[in-house]
Amino acid sequence: MYNMRNISTWLSVLLELSAIWPCVISMNLLSFTTQEMKLTNHVRVKRGWSWEPLYVTEEQEVKKPMYVGQLKTDSDGQDGLIKYILFGDGAGTIFVMNDYSGKISVLKKLDREEKPFYTLRAQAINRYTGVPVEAESEFVIKVLDINDNEPQFINRPYIAEVLEMSPKGTYVTQVIATDKDDPTHGNNARLVYNILQGQPQFSIEIKSGIIRVASQIDRETKDQYHVIVQAKDMIGDAGALSATTTVVINILDVNDNAPKFQQKTYEMSIIESATIGEIVGTILADDFDIGKNAEINYLIEERGDYNMFDIHTDSLTQEGIITLKKLVDFESRSRRYNIQVRAENKYKPEFFDTATIRIYVVDVDEPPVFLEREYFMEIPESVPVGSYVGSVTAKDPDTTDTVIRYDILHNKHSRSFEIYPNNGSIFTMKSLDREVDLWHNITVTATEAKSPTYTSYVHVYIQVLDVNDNAPQLEHIPDIYVCEKSRLEQPVHTITAIDKDEPKLSHPFSFTQPPEESTNANFTFADNEDNTATILTAQDGYSSQDNPLFYLTVIISDNGTPSLTSTSTLTIKVCDCGIDNNKESCGKGGFFFKFMNSGAVIAISVFILLILVLALLVHVRCRKKHNIMSEKGEDLKENIVKYDDEGGGEEDTEAFDITGLRHPTVMRERKPRRIRRTDIQSMYRLSLGLGPDVAIFKEFLTEKLEEANTDSSVLPMDYLHCYAFEGTCSPSGSLSSLSFTETNVSEIDPYY
């Protein structure tokens, strides 16, 4: 009020001055403003804002600015000097303010869930001077909630499990729903739960959403429930919004059922030829539980013929598989067996059921049965061919006894034996040698004479027993050296003997020398009594120059009956072992070089010289033969003709068809012709289309054969001659080896 009186006073003063000096109005206004600021700075004035609570209800349709509330300062004299300005969140776009009255209006529909309140600022200034009349103030416009959002379930989908037969009130699961409405404004967000489907087995707590068991549940009746739960806001009052969700509840099994056989009596059959372990049949007991709770153990109770059969459980199908424990025989005993089977729960043996099984034995025509599963026989290796080895026996297990025939399946061992087909006696067919084959494994068959299809087999193992039929031998004959400086009875080398016979027949061996060597021996033996002997020196010192080699004969005898002996000759070389008397260098060529120094080099050189001279003589003779052959000019020519014929030698001239090679001027007296084959032609002559008539050449060959048979100076009878006709009048002369004169035939080496 004080401020308003000051303003009125100053205004009246300004009006009076304006009548006297209008020109100074503006200066007075400035002076007034300055004085007013001074008063403001020096005088404390109580002033402030006043407004009513500001609210906007959400979701209201706004077609024109809608009044929200009013802000004003107590300095406002309603004279229009105060100007109100709005700042902040949504100012100008969502909210507007009348700058004269301070009234606030909203321009559009609001959503509380999008933004629950708006923070704004207001300022009051002098409309003409722009000077703030009030300090800037902050205020809030709250958006009021309405129930426009339905509940929403979270953490979906809901899947729960609960054991069957659980007591009433057992916790199952909890459902939770939320509501976007304001929980502080009325009941818009206050929810309640109820079950629309799933009663009477389940119930739900109305506020918490916890689902519990309401009555007894049996999994064997129903193993899954779909419970529909509803959530409502406004505590379920009128106008409330709701939502639903489905909770899948799986019922877990408990072991509460005993196995149950499908029938109390079972009938099965098995053939009498069935082997142990063969399946007789299967049975099945039902258990309404699942998983491990339904696992069953089957066993045969100790009643009736319980020891004839066995039973075990198939873990996959839970069936009881009955197998044969002992062989059954239709001819020997009862043809029906009774057993009682028990099926019990694996984890609760008190849950069980029993059934009776009758098993009938079926008769079949069986093959012969050998009295033994396999046969072992022995025979010495020295027995003659046809010796008895042993017998096998088989019988017909059927009631009708039939004749049985025996035979041996062929293999490499069966060729040494034969079997008598009527009684199964086995004999030798060949001589046996234990050192070649110690064991002979043969397979014998037994077949019914009337039914050859029924055949049984048995293995027969024949061991060849050893006899002392092998003399001992040295394991290997090594290079033995003795040092020149060796002393009397000094060890030289140790030899080892082996025997192919068994040790118990031949060991131990004895080592001796022939009597004629033992009296004048350079070396002796020391028997080590372990099948080895040590060679000892029998003198002091040896000389590689005088006697570089010694030959030592050793006689090795075994301990068999009769005793067998073998004789071996050992070569002992004298070696200069050096100062340290070490024989290691002897085997590396030392002896060889010493031997070479003793004259072998000269001998080898002479031998090589002789070889060279012989080669030179052969070369000269070959050239001489060539000159002799060429003296006949072109009368005879040489050619190589290949015949794929293996006839009877020189006289089998009928197998050849070779063109004549003689010149007409050197033909000899004709002789009576022999019958000759003309169907075999020389492929070489035919290819050339040259040469005289074949008859001429055949006569020539006949004459040559007769000369060769009577003349010992010519080539041997089995010498291979190759002839071909090369034509006449060749300027180069003949290259044939046949071009020689009769005067120098004797000079040809018949073995060349």
Side-chain angles (χ1 to χ4, degrees):
M1 295 300 293
Y2 178 75
N3 291 336
M4 295 299 294
R5 284 195 296 272
N6 277 340
I7 292 172
S8 301
T9 304
W10 285 105
L11 287 174
S12 60
V13 171
L14 289 172
L15 289 173
E16 291 178 359
L17 290 174
S18 62
I20 301 173
W21 196 9
C23 296
V24 297
I25 292 177
S26 59
M27 295 179 61
N28 289 334
L29 286 172
L30 292 173
S31 176
F32 166 75
T33 303
T34 303
Q35 292 180 8
E36 185 178 21
M37 292 298 296
K38 290 181 179 180
L39 290 174
T40 303
N41 293 334
H42 292 87
V43 180
R44 182 182 296 273
V45 180
K46 182 181 180 182
R47 45 178 78 170
W49 291 92
S50 63
W51 60 78
E52 57 193 55
L54 303 177
Y55 299 99
V56 178
T57 303
E58 66 170 332
E59 302 298 336
Q60 287 185 337
E61 293 293 337
V62 179
K63 296 182 179 180
K64 60 180 181 179
M66 184 174 63
Y67 176 76
V68 176
Q70 184 179 13
L71 274 73
K72 65 178 181 178
T73 176
D74 53 5
S75 300
D76 190 357
Q78 303 294 323
D79 49 8
L81 291 177
I82 302 299
K83 181 179 180 179
Y84 295 95
I85 303 174
L86 186 66
F87 304 97
D89 195 6
T93 57
I94 300 176
F95 300 99
V96 294
M97 174 183 283
N98 188 306
D99 59 349
Y100 286 95
S101 62
K103 293 181 179 180
I104 301 173
S105 300
V106 64
L107 299 177
K108 60 183 181 180
K109 181 172 65 175
L110 303 179
D111 186 358
R112 189 203 68 84
E113 286 70 38
E114 181 180 343
K115 192 173 181 66
F117 60 87
Y118 295 85
T119 301
L120 297 144
R121 301 189 309 277
Q123 189 177 26
I125 63 172
N126 188 292
R127 186 180 297 276
Y128 300 104
T129 63
V131 177
V133 177
E134 292 288 349
E136 184 178 297
S137 179
E138 185 177 85
F139 62 95
V140 175
I141 299 177
K142 188 174 183 182
V143 182
L144 296 181
D145 182 49
I146 64 172
N147 189 23
D148 60 340
N149 289 279
E150 63 184 18
Q152 297 289 331
F153 283 96
I154 62 175
N155 301 328
R156 293 190 300 175
Y158 291 99
I159 300 176
E161 297 177 342
V162 64
L163 290 173
E164 65 172 330
M165 301 300 174
S166 296
K168 184 178 180 180
T170 301
Y171 174 85
V172 179
T173 188
Q174 182 180 15
V175 296
I176 299 174
T178 60
D179 196 319
K180 293 182 180 180
D181 292 326
D182 189 0
T184 63
H185 184 75
N187 297 326
N188 292 344
R190 297 183 64 184
L191 306 179
V192 293
Y193 301 92
N194 66 298
I195 292 179
L196 301 182
Q197 176 182 307
Q199 294 175 334
Q201 288 81 11
F202 302 96
S203 63
I204 192 170
E205 293 182 0
I206 191 171
K207 292 183 178 181
S208 64
I210 295 176
I211 300 175
R212 300 182 182 274
V213 175
S215 62
Q216 191 177 63
I217 304 171
D218 186 5
R219 189 205 64 82
E220 286 72 38
T221 302
K222 188 174 183 179
D223 61 355
Q224 190 180 74
Y225 290 87
H226 292 78
V227 178
I228 298 177
V229 178
Q230 182 188 57
K232 272 189 175 184
D233 56 16
M234 296 184 67
I235 322 180
D237 294 339
L241 301 177
S242 64
T244 60
T245 188
T246 299
V247 181
V248 179
I249 301 176
N250 295 314
I251 309 303
L252 302 180
D253 184 55
V254 296
N255 196 359
D256 59 346
N257 290 280
K260 190 74 175 178
F261 281 109
Q262 298 176 353
Q263 57 192 69
K264 283 297 183 182
T265 302
Y266 294 85
E267 291 186 353
M268 302 177 183
S269 62
I270 185 171
I271 59 176
E272 62 172 334
S273 59
T275 58
I276 294 177
E278 190 168 333
I279 296 176
V280 180
T282 59
I283 57 175
L284 178 64
D286 297 323
D287 193 322
F288 293 107
D289 295 322
I290 60 174
K292 291 186 176 182
N293 296 331
E295 294 182 5
I296 299 173
N297 282 337
Y298 294 92
L299 54 93
I300 297 177
E301 295 184 341
E302 295 184 1
R303 296 182 184 179
D305 304 302
Y306 68 93
N307 60 343
M308 293 294 298
F309 303 92
D310 201 357
I311 190 171
H312 68 274
T313 304
D314 189 322
S315 59
L316 183 62
T317 62
Q318 291 298 303
E319 291 179 320
I321 301 176
I322 302 172
T323 57
L324 188 63
K325 189 176 182 181
K326 294 183 179 180
L327 295 177
V328 294
D329 189 358
F330 181 84
E331 291 78 20
S332 62
R333 58 154 299 162
S334 175
R335 301 176 182 178
R336 189 184 75 178
Y337 297 90
N338 295 321
I339 59 174
Q340 185 165 330
V341 179
R342 176 187 178 100
E344 59 184 30
N345 189 279
K346 184 175 181 179
Y347 302 100
K348 288 187 176 181
E350 62 271 17
F351 291 169
F352 69 91
D353 193 16
T354 59
T356 301
I357 301 177
R358 298 189 182 98
I359 301 174
Y360 297 91
V361 180
V362 180
D363 185 27
V364 295
D365 190 4
E366 302 171 272
V369 177
F370 284 97
L371 299 185
E372 297 183 21
R373 295 178 59 87
E374 54 189 7
Y375 289 86
F376 292 89
M377 301 178 183
E378 296 178 345
I379 185 169
E381 63 177 328
S382 60
V383 297
V385 176
S387 298
Y388 173 78
V389 181
S391 299
V392 296
T393 305
K395 291 186 177 181
D396 187 1
D398 297 322
T399 54
T400 58
D401 194 6
T402 59
V403 178
I404 297 174
R405 295 286 184 265
Y406 300 93
D407 196 5
I408 296 177
L409 291 182
H410 294 294
N411 56 41
K412 69 174 183 177
H413 299 293
S414 64
R415 298 186 181 92
S416 301
F417 303 92
E418 63 178 350
I419 190 169
Y420 190 66
N422 292 331
N423 59 12
S425 297
I426 300 174
F427 298 88
T428 61
M429 290 183 62
K430 295 181 179 180
S431 298
L432 304 178
D433 188 354
R434 187 201 69 87
E435 286 70 39
V436 177
D437 289 306
L438 176 60
W439 285 92
H440 294 266
N441 303 332
I442 62 175
T443 302
V444 177
T445 63
T447 307
E448 293 183 5
K450 295 182 179 180
S451 301
T453 56
Y454 294 100
T455 303
S456 297
Y457 303 86
V458 70
H459 294 290
V460 179
Y461 304 98
I462 302 174
Q463 183 182 9
V464 181
L465 300 179
D466 188 33
V467 296
N468 190 26
D469 58 347
N470 290 278
Q473 301 289 336
L474 287 178
E475 186 172 7
H476 65 278
I477 300 177
D479 292 332
I480 304 175
Y481 299 93
V482 61
C483 294
E484 292 181 335
K485 300 178 181 179
S486 298
R487 298 303 179 191
L488 179 64
E489 295 186 353
Q490 183 175 344
V492 177
H493 190 81
T494 300
I495 57 175
T496 303
I498 57 174
D499 195 328
K500 294 181 180 179
D501 295 323
E502 291 185 355
K504 64 181 181 180
L505 295 179
S506 58
H507 291 186
F509 303 140
S510 60
F511 300 84
T512 58
Q513 287 181 277
E516 63 272 12
E517 292 186 8
S518 60
T519 57
N520 186 19
N522 296 297
F523 300 92
T524 59
F525 290 104
D527 194 341
N528 299 324
E529 297 183 354
D530 59 353
N531 302 328
T532 64
T534 302
I535 302 174
L536 303 175
T537 58
Q539 64 184 31
D540 288 334
Y542 298 86
S543 174
S544 61
Q545 298 293 332
D546 298 338
N547 197 355
L549 296 175
F550 290 92
Y551 298 99
L552 179 62
T553 303
V554 56
I555 300 175
I556 308 173
S557 304
D558 61 18
N559 195 33
T561 303
S563 177
L564 300 179
T565 62
S566 67
T567 302
S568 300
T569 300
L570 302 176
T571 301
I572 303 177
K573 304 174 184 179
V574 180
C575 175
D576 183 5
C577 301
I579 300 176
D580 55 355
N581 210 29
N582 185 5
K583 293 189 293 184
E584 292 183 359
S585 61
C586 296
K588 300 180 180 179
F591 178 81
F592 175 76
F593 287 112
K594 292 177 182 179
F595 181 75
M596 294 291 289
N597 294 333
S598 64
V601 174
I602 299 174
I604 292 175
S605 300
V606 172
F607 179 75
I608 294 174
L609 182 60
L610 291 175
I611 293 295
L612 293 175
V613 171
L614 181 61
L616 181 60
L617 292 176
V618 172
H619 178 69
V620 170
R621 176 166 291 190
C622 289
R623 291 182 60 84
K624 185 176 181 181
K625 289 178 184 178
H626 178 71
N627 295 331
I628 293 173
M629 293 294 183
S630 61
E631 289 178 0
K632 299 189 96 175
E634 300 178 2
D635 290 342
L636 299 177
K637 308 297 180 180
E638 182 182 54
N639 194 12
I640 298 176
V641 182
K642 180 181 179 183
Y643 298 94
D644 295 328
D645 189 290
E646 297 181 0
E650 296 86 344
E651 296 184 357
D652 189 8
T653 58
E654 299 294 328
F656 300 93
D657 182 14
I658 307 175
T659 59
L661 298 178
R662 286 194 59 190
H663 193 277
T665 59
V666 295
M667 290 182 60
R668 301 185 183 183
E669 182 180 355
R670 292 180 175 267
K671 294 185 179 181
R673 292 188 179 183
R674 298 170 57 186
I675 299 175
R676 303 177 180 86
R677 294 180 58 184
T678 59
D679 54 336
I680 302 177
Q681 300 294 325
S682 170
M683 299 305 297
Y684 181 77
R685 183 181 68 82
L686 292 176
S687 64
L688 297 176
L690 301 174
D693 187 82
V694 66
I696 299 174
F697 185 64
K698 287 186 176 181
E699 289 182 8
F700 171 75
L701 289 180
T702 303
E703 294 175 4
K704 284 296 182 181
L705 287 174
E706 290 178 356
E707 292 177 2
N709 291 334
T710 58
D711 190 356
S712 60
S713 62
V714 297
L715 297 175
M717 298 286 290
D718 57 351
Y719 190 81
L720 176 62
H721 298 272
C722 298
Y723 303 97
F725 185 79
E726 298 179 357
T728 59
C729 300
S730 174
S732 62
S734 175
L735 300 178
S736 173
S737 60
L738 300 178
S739 298
F740 56 88
T741 63
E742 295 180 1
T743 58
N744 53 21
V745 171
S746 60
E747 297 179 5
I748 300 176
D749 187 357
Y751 300 100
Y752 178 69

Coordinates of all heavy atoms in Angstrom, one line a residue, residues 269-280 324 326-329 361-362 364 366:
S269 N 7.4 -121.2 -25.6 CA 8.0 -122.4 -26.1 C 9.4 -122.1 -26.5 O 9.8 -121.0 -26.9 CB 7.2 -123.0 -27.2 OG 7.1 -122.1 -28.3
I270 N 10.2 -123.2 -26.5 CA 11.6 -123.1 -26.9 C 12.0 -124.4 -27.6 O 11.7 -125.5 -27.1 CB 12.5 -122.7 -25.8 CG1 14.0 -122.5 -26.3 CG2 12.5 -123.7 -24.7 CD1 14.9 -121.9 -25.2
I271 N 12.8 -124.4 -28.6 CA 13.2 -125.6 -29.3 C 14.4 -126.2 -28.5 O 15.1 -125.5 -27.8 CB 13.7 -125.4 -30.7 CG1 14.8 -124.3 -30.8 CG2 12.5 -124.9 -31.6 CD1 15.4 -124.1 -32.2
E272 N 14.5 -127.5 -28.5 CA 15.5 -128.2 -27.7 C 16.9 -127.9 -28.1 O 17.9 -128.1 -27.3 CB 15.2 -129.7 -27.7 CG 15.4 -130.3 -29.1 CD 15.3 -131.8 -29.0 OE1 15.7 -132.4 -27.9 OE2 14.9 -132.4 -30.0
S273 N 17.1 -127.4 -29.3 CA 18.4 -127.1 -29.8 C 18.9 -125.7 -29.4 O 20.0 -125.3 -29.9 CB 18.5 -127.2 -31.3 OG 17.6 -126.4 -32.0
A274 N 18.1 -125.0 -28.7 CA 18.5 -123.6 -28.3 C 19.7 -123.6 -27.4 O 19.9 -124.5 -26.6 CB 17.3 -123.0 -27.6
T275 N 20.5 -122.6 -27.6 CA 21.8 -122.5 -26.9 C 21.6 -121.7 -25.6 O 20.6 -120.9 -25.5 CB 22.9 -121.9 -27.7 OG1 22.4 -120.6 -28.2 CG2 23.2 -122.7 -28.9
I276 N 22.5 -121.8 -24.7 CA 22.4 -121.0 -23.5 C 22.5 -119.5 -23.8 O 23.3 -119.1 -24.6 CB 23.6 -121.4 -22.5 CG1 23.4 -122.8 -22.0 CG2 23.6 -120.4 -21.3 CD1 24.5 -123.4 -21.2
G277 N 21.6 -118.8 -23.2 CA 21.5 -117.3 -23.4 C 20.5 -117.0 -24.5 O 20.2 -115.8 -24.7
E278 N 19.9 -117.9 -25.1 CA 18.9 -117.6 -26.2 C 17.6 -117.2 -25.5 O 17.2 -117.6 -24.4 CB 18.7 -118.9 -27.0 CG 17.8 -118.6 -28.2 CD 17.8 -119.8 -29.2 OE1 18.8 -120.5 -29.2 OE2 16.9 -120.0 -29.9
I279 N 17.0 -116.2 -26.2 CA 15.7 -115.6 -25.6 C 14.6 -116.6 -25.8 O 14.3 -117.1 -26.8 CB 15.4 -114.3 -26.3 CG1 16.5 -113.3 -26.1 CG2 14.1 -113.7 -25.9 CD1 16.4 -112.0 -26.8
V280 N 13.9 -116.8 -24.6 CA 12.7 -117.6 -24.6 C 11.4 -116.8 -24.9 O 10.6 -117.2 -25.7 CB 12.5 -118.3 -23.3 CG1 11.3 -119.2 -23.2 CG2 13.8 -119.2 -23.0
L324 N 17.5 -118.6 -21.7 CA 17.8 -120.0 -21.3 C 19.1 -120.0 -20.5 O 20.1 -119.5 -20.9 CB 17.9 -120.9 -22.5 CG 18.1 -122.4 -22.3 CD1 16.8 -122.9 -21.6 CD2 18.3 -123.1 -23.6
K326 N 20.1 -123.1 -18.8 CA 20.7 -124.4 -19.0 C 20.0 -125.0 -20.2 O 18.9 -124.7 -20.6 CB 20.4 -125.3 -17.7 CG 21.1 -124.8 -16.5 CD 20.8 -125.8 -15.3 CE 21.5 -125.4 -14.1 NZ 21.3 -126.4 -12.9
L327 N 20.8 -125.9 -20.8 CA 20.3 -126.6 -22.0 C 19.1 -127.5 -21.7 O 19.0 -128.1 -20.7 CB 21.4 -127.4 -22.7 CG 22.6 -126.6 -23.2 CD1 23.6 -127.6 -23.8 CD2 22.1 -125.6 -24.3
V328 N 18.1 -127.5 -22.6 CA 16.9 -128.3 -22.5 C 17.0 -129.5 -23.5 O 17.6 -129.3 -24.5 CB 15.6 -127.5 -22.6 CG1 15.5 -126.5 -21.5 CG2 15.6 -126.8 -24.0
D329 N 16.4 -130.6 -23.2 CA 16.4 -131.7 -24.0 C 15.0 -132.4 -24.0 O 14.5 -132.8 -23.0 CB 17.5 -132.7 -23.5 CG 17.7 -133.9 -24.5 OD1 17.0 -133.9 -25.6 OD2 18.6 -134.7 -24.2
V361 N 9.0 -127.3 -24.3 CA 10.2 -127.7 -25.1 C 9.7 -128.3 -26.4 O 8.8 -129.3 -26.3 CB 11.1 -128.6 -24.3 CG1 12.3 -129.0 -25.2 CG2 11.6 -128.0 -23.0
V362 N 10.2 -127.8 -27.5 CA 9.7 -128.3 -28.8 C 10.8 -129.2 -29.4 O 12.0 -128.8 -29.4 CB 9.5 -127.1 -29.8 CG1 9.0 -127.7 -31.1 CG2 8.4 -126.2 -29.2
V364 N 13.1 -131.1 -32.1 CA 13.7 -130.8 -33.4 C 14.6 -131.9 -33.8 O 15.2 -132.6 -32.9 CB 14.4 -129.4 -33.5 CG1 13.4 -128.3 -33.2 CG2 15.5 -129.4 -32.5
E366 N 18.0 -132.8 -34.5 CA 19.2 -132.2 -34.2 C 20.4 -132.9 -34.9 O 20.4 -134.1 -35.1 CB 19.5 -132.2 -32.7 CG 18.4 -131.5 -31.9 CD 18.5 -131.8 -30.4 OE1 18.0 -132.8 -29.9 OE2 19.2 -131.0 -29.7

